[in-house]
Amino acid sequence: PGDSRVLLADGTERLMRDLQVGDKVRTGANAGDDAEVFFFSHKAESVFEAFTTIVSGSYRLRLSGGHMLEINGALKKASEAKPGDKIISGDGLELSVDSVSMSSGIGLYAPHTLGSSGTLIVDSVIVSEFTSAVHPLAARMLLAPLKAAYRMGLGHSFSVLPDAVRIAAVKLAPLLSVR
């Protein structure tokens, strides 16, 4: 949701709704684990959405049920989390999930960075950039040309490309599926 907090590379936080292409975000637990945001596959600022809320002690993470994060050492959908599962804090600490529930909020976002980790820190928890809509491997392949264009200074406005990415994903999905 738009009121989730994203950890920036300088250690400050920014609301997800205020995150912009060009912002540098922390992507892991170590100083220097950071990358520039270059693209949003979702940036629906006014949509009212259901979210999975994962609580561990004072940590409260809200993300769409299909958004992925490391759960018990494997990349899984947020909706698959359950009490007792392990997730990773932005400081690299293993957290035990106390509860999982549904909530609602405004805004649906999926920022992508130039980094190789495929992660960022939201609400003090390390989460994936990817969702279950497109397999992470396929998403990485589809985003690679966009990353290259951005690095060459050609991609500060990808207003038409979300449809192009969606079309490419549909066409490439049969080729990228696991058999």
Coordinates of all heavy atoms in Angstrom, one line a residue, residues 29 54-59 69-74 82-98 124-126:
A29 N 20.7 -6.3 3.9 CA 20.9 -5.9 5.3 C 22.2 -5.2 5.5 O 22.4 -4.5 6.5 CB 21.0 -7.2 6.1
I54 N 1.5 -9.4 7.6 CA 2.4 -10.3 8.3 C 3.0 -9.6 9.5 O 3.6 -8.6 9.4 CB 3.5 -10.9 7.4 CG1 2.9 -11.6 6.2 CG2 4.4 -11.8 8.2 CD1 3.9 -11.9 5.1
V55 N 2.8 -10.2 10.7 CA 3.2 -9.5 12.0 C 4.2 -10.4 12.6 O 4.0 -11.6 12.8 CB 2.0 -9.2 12.9 CG1 2.5 -8.7 14.3 CG2 1.1 -8.3 12.3
S56 N 5.3 -9.8 13.1 CA 6.4 -10.5 13.9 C 6.8 -9.5 14.9 O 7.6 -8.5 14.6 CB 7.5 -10.9 13.0 OG 8.5 -11.5 13.8
G57 N 6.4 -9.7 16.2 CA 6.8 -8.7 17.2 C 6.3 -7.3 16.8 O 5.2 -7.1 16.5
S58 N 7.2 -6.3 16.7 CA 6.9 -5.0 16.4 C 6.9 -4.7 14.9 O 6.5 -3.6 14.4 CB 7.8 -4.0 17.0 OG 9.2 -4.2 16.5
Y59 N 7.2 -5.7 14.1 CA 7.2 -5.6 12.6 C 5.8 -5.9 12.1 O 5.2 -6.9 12.5 CB 8.2 -6.6 12.0 CG 9.6 -6.4 12.3 CD1 10.2 -6.9 13.5 CD2 10.5 -5.7 11.4 CE1 11.5 -6.6 13.8 CE2 11.8 -5.5 11.7 CZ 12.3 -5.9 12.9 OH 13.6 -5.7 13.2
L69 N 8.2 -12.9 -1.0 CA 9.3 -12.6 -0.1 C 9.8 -14.0 0.4 O 9.2 -15.0 0.1 CB 8.8 -11.8 1.1 CG 7.9 -12.5 2.2 CD1 8.0 -11.7 3.5 CD2 6.5 -12.6 1.8
E70 N 11.0 -13.9 1.0 CA 11.6 -15.1 1.5 C 10.9 -15.6 2.7 O 10.8 -14.9 3.7 CB 13.1 -14.9 1.8 CG 13.8 -16.2 2.1 CD 15.3 -16.0 2.3 OE1 15.9 -15.4 1.4 OE2 15.8 -16.4 3.3
I71 N 10.3 -16.8 2.7 CA 9.7 -17.4 3.8 C 10.3 -18.8 4.0 O 10.4 -19.6 3.1 CB 8.2 -17.6 3.5 CG1 7.5 -16.2 3.3 CG2 7.5 -18.3 4.7 CD1 6.0 -16.3 2.8
N72 N 10.9 -19.0 5.2 CA 11.6 -20.2 5.5 C 12.7 -20.6 4.5 O 12.8 -21.7 4.1 CB 10.6 -21.4 5.6 CG 9.6 -21.2 6.7 OD1 9.9 -20.6 7.8 ND2 8.4 -21.6 6.5
G73 N 13.3 -19.5 4.0 CA 14.5 -19.7 3.1 C 14.1 -19.9 1.6 O 15.0 -20.1 0.8
A74 N 12.8 -19.8 1.3 CA 12.4 -20.0 -0.1 C 11.5 -18.8 -0.5 O 10.8 -18.2 0.3 CB 11.6 -21.3 -0.3
K82 N 2.5 -18.2 7.3 CA 1.7 -18.6 8.4 C 2.5 -18.5 9.7 O 3.7 -18.4 9.7 CB 1.2 -20.1 8.2 CG 2.3 -21.1 8.0 CD 1.6 -22.4 7.6 CE 2.7 -23.5 7.4 NZ 3.8 -23.2 6.6
P83 N 1.8 -18.4 10.9 CA 2.5 -18.3 12.1 C 3.6 -19.4 12.3 O 3.4 -20.5 11.9 CB 1.4 -18.4 13.2 CG 0.2 -18.0 12.5 CD 0.3 -18.4 11.0
G84 N 4.7 -18.9 12.8 CA 5.9 -19.8 13.0 C 6.8 -19.8 11.8 O 8.0 -20.2 12.0
D85 N 6.4 -19.3 10.7 CA 7.3 -19.2 9.5 C 8.4 -18.2 9.8 O 8.2 -17.3 10.7 CB 6.6 -18.7 8.3 CG 5.8 -19.9 7.6 OD1 6.0 -21.0 8.0 OD2 5.0 -19.6 6.7
K86 N 9.5 -18.2 9.1 CA 10.6 -17.3 9.3 C 10.7 -16.4 8.1 O 10.7 -16.8 6.9 CB 12.0 -18.1 9.4 CG 12.0 -19.1 10.6 CD 11.7 -18.5 11.9 CE 11.9 -19.6 13.0 NZ 11.1 -19.3 14.1
I87 N 10.9 -15.1 8.4 CA 11.1 -14.0 7.4 C 12.4 -13.3 7.8 O 12.9 -13.5 8.9 CB 9.9 -13.1 7.2 CG1 9.5 -12.4 8.5 CG2 8.7 -13.9 6.6 CD1 8.4 -11.4 8.3
I88 N 12.9 -12.4 6.9 CA 14.1 -11.7 7.2 C 13.9 -10.2 7.4 O 13.3 -9.6 6.5 CB 15.2 -12.0 6.1 CG1 15.4 -13.5 5.9 CG2 16.5 -11.3 6.5 CD1 15.9 -14.2 7.1
S89 N 14.4 -9.6 8.5 CA 14.3 -8.2 8.7 C 15.3 -7.5 7.8 O 16.2 -8.1 7.3 CB 14.5 -7.8 10.1 OG 15.9 -7.9 10.4
G90 N 15.1 -6.2 7.7 CA 16.0 -5.3 6.9 C 17.4 -5.3 7.5 O 18.4 -5.0 6.8
D91 N 17.5 -5.7 8.8 CA 18.8 -5.8 9.4 C 19.5 -7.2 9.3 O 20.5 -7.5 9.9 CB 18.7 -5.5 10.9 CG 18.3 -4.1 11.2 OD1 18.6 -3.2 10.4 OD2 17.5 -3.9 12.2
G92 N 18.8 -8.1 8.6 CA 19.3 -9.4 8.4 C 18.9 -10.4 9.5 O 19.4 -11.5 9.5
L93 N 18.1 -10.0 10.4 CA 17.7 -10.9 11.5 C 16.5 -11.8 11.0 O 15.6 -11.4 10.3 CB 17.2 -10.1 12.7 CG 18.2 -9.1 13.3 CD1 17.6 -8.2 14.3 CD2 19.4 -9.8 13.8
E94 N 16.6 -13.0 11.5 CA 15.5 -13.9 11.2 C 14.3 -13.6 12.2 O 14.5 -13.5 13.4 CB 15.9 -15.4 11.4 CG 14.9 -16.4 11.0 CD 15.4 -17.8 11.1 OE1 15.4 -18.4 12.3 OE2 15.8 -18.4 10.1
L95 N 13.1 -13.4 11.6 CA 11.9 -13.1 12.4 C 11.0 -14.2 12.3 O 10.8 -14.8 11.3 CB 11.3 -11.8 11.9 CG 12.1 -10.6 11.8 CD1 11.3 -9.5 11.0 CD2 12.5 -10.1 13.1
S96 N 10.3 -14.6 13.4 CA 9.3 -15.6 13.5 C 7.9 -14.9 13.3 O 7.6 -14.0 14.0 CB 9.3 -16.3 14.8 OG 8.4 -17.4 14.8
V97 N 7.1 -15.4 12.4 CA 5.8 -14.8 12.1 C 4.9 -15.1 13.3 O 4.7 -16.3 13.6 CB 5.3 -15.3 10.8 CG1 3.8 -14.8 10.6 CG2 6.1 -14.9 9.6
D98 N 4.3 -14.1 13.8 CA 3.3 -14.3 14.9 C 1.9 -14.5 14.4 O 1.2 -15.3 14.9 CB 3.3 -13.0 15.9 CG 4.6 -12.8 16.6 OD1 5.3 -13.8 16.9 OD2 5.0 -11.7 16.8
S124 N 10.6 -2.4 7.1 CA 11.7 -3.1 7.8 C 11.9 -4.5 7.6 O 12.5 -5.2 8.3 CB 11.6 -2.8 9.3 OG 11.6 -1.4 9.5
V125 N 11.3 -5.1 6.5 CA 11.4 -6.5 6.1 C 11.9 -6.6 4.7 O 11.5 -5.8 3.8 CB 10.1 -7.2 6.3 CG1 10.2 -8.6 5.8 CG2 9.6 -7.2 7.7
I126 N 12.8 -7.5 4.4 CA 13.3 -7.7 3.0 C 12.2 -8.4 2.2 O 11.8 -9.5 2.6 CB 14.6 -8.5 3.0 CG1 15.7 -7.7 3.8 CG2 15.1 -8.8 1.6 CD1 17.1 -8.5 3.9

